[in-house]
Amino acid sequence: MTQALLSGKTALVTGSTSGIGLGIARTLAAQGANILFNGFGDAQEIEQLHQGVAQEFGVKTAYHGADMSKPEQIADMIAYADQTFGGVDILVNNAGIQFVAPIDQFPVEKWDAILAINLSSAFHTTRLALPGMKAKNWGRIINIASVHGLVASAEKSAYVAAKHGLVGLTKVTALENAHTGITCNAICPGWVLTPLVQKQVDARAAKDGTSIEAAKKALLSEKQPSGEFVTPEELGALAVFFCSPAGDQVRGVAWNMDGGWVAQ
Ligand code: NAD
């Protein structure tokens, strides 16, 4: 039997109890990586989720409930990864939230929360995981940005600012480690049908007085030429490519997987 591509590596995927993070965690586990899960949710369901992944793919899994808006809890999670797995080899900065409102009506606390969770958390995980990666001279840092790290949409000031910031952080991290075995890249998804987007679909259906299906179509037709949602599994496959030897010299890219969104 050939060895799985990522066997012996440990991946920390922030915000992996749901949506894209969960899809990426499962795809990395399928390649043999141990997974440290993070994110919110029902304690019992999370326990079942991570034990289920361990059983399904024959890898080691654990969970840490750090709130990604709290630097001291992030530090505790990285220390836990060191104790439990001997460090983080693959860091996927995925946790994120959304809030939609015009700038002059944007709640200050929502701005602060989006910047903390969608941007500053990646600075903290990166600064804390890098020493361990440097010691091994191997690491992969994958920042889940968004098409909104490349282009803007109205009413998403905090989200667009945070995601553009995350693409910038990606480039700096890539450059500072360019002479090492540590790479850093961003993935920029278009619409993916996760709980985060379902909320926007529901809000749109309520506002327009249409069905959920009609709201999904309207959402896609505005921005995403394919008319299809991107899937967490497709994004996971791109993460696996970044982790493979073929990805050794892919450094500092912001790779959109978006059904053609930013080609327009
Ligand atoms: P989701 O709501 O399904 O999942 C978000 C995850 O982050 C959950 O596990 C949640 O518990 C966790 N989380 C939220 N706040 C947290 C906090 N303070 N501390 C720790 N964990 C926290 O959303 P998703 O659509 O899967 O989004 C994942 C990432 O992908 C986000 O960064 C989002 O901006 C990005 N993204 C999503 C889309 C999309 O269309 N869904 C498109 C582009 C980018």
Side-chain angles (χ1 to χ4, degrees), residues 15-21 38-40 66-69 94-97 117-118 144-146 159 163 189-192 194-197:
S16 44
T17 52
S18 167
I20 293 171
N38 159 261
F40 296 149
D67 178 337
M68 298 305 290
S69 68
N94 166 80
I97 57 168
I117 296 165
N118 297 21
I144 308 305
S146 165
Y159 189 84
K163 295 298 187 181
W191 290 123
V192 186
T194 64
L196 180 140
V197 165

Side-chain angles (χ1 to χ4, degrees), residues 15 20 34 36 69 77 88 128 145 177 185 191 195 201 211 233 239 251:
I20 293 171
N34 299 322
L36 177 53
S69 68
M77 178 168 64
V88 175
L128 295 163
N177 294 284
N185 295 290
W191 290 123
V201 169
S211 68
E233 292 71 28
R251 294 172 187 265

Side-chain angles (χ1 to χ4, degrees), residues 48 83 93 113 144 166 175 180 209 224 226 237 254 257:
Q48 280 170 359
Q83 289 153 18
N93 289 310
I144 308 305
L166 189 56
L175 287 180
T180 75
Q224 198 146 302
S226 66
M257 188 181 270

